[in-house]
Amino acid sequence: PNATPVIAATFIFAFLGNWSDFLSPKLFLSENQATLASRLASAYVDPAGNPLQAETMAAIVVYVLPLILIYIIGQRYMYQISIQSGLK
């Protein structure tokens, strides 16, 4: 029971670190196996090489949405644990 906040915090940091990792997939994976973060950096450009801003912003929203959900769920969980810890 006392290790639950530590496990939750470790899960949150591990998820954030792996989800937003840009450099490792760019270095070690080919273009066919690239992750979402490395594809977002260079995927939405027109033939002249200019970035397509509307598509890039929509992709960023889709990319950040899981992070926001993890934060909301984790915040509620951490809040409940902090309230319960004062009752013991």
Side-chain angles (χ1 to χ4, degrees):
N2 291 336
T4 309
V6 174
I7 293 171
T10 303
F11 169 75
I12 291 170
F13 286 131
F15 180 80
L16 290 177
N18 289 326
W19 182 259
S20 59
D21 188 17
F22 173 76
L23 186 59
S24 297
K26 201 69 165 167
L27 289 175
F28 299 122
L29 297 177
S30 66
E31 284 297 320
N32 295 337
Q33 299 174 335
T35 59
L36 181 61
S38 59
R39 288 226 187 227
L40 281 177
S42 61
Y44 300 109
V45 293
D46 62 3
N50 300 322
L52 301 172
Q53 299 218 349
E55 288 83 359
T56 303
M57 294 301 153
I60 289 172
V61 168
V62 171
Y63 178 73
V64 172
L65 193 61
L67 301 176
I68 293 171
L69 292 175
I70 292 281
Y71 174 76
I72 291 170
I73 293 169
Q75 188 71 8
R76 285 184 184 171
Y77 186 68
M78 292 294 190
Y79 182 71
Q80 289 175 354
I81 289 174
S82 68
I83 289 175
Q84 291 174 356
S85 66
L87 298 175
K88 293 181 180 180

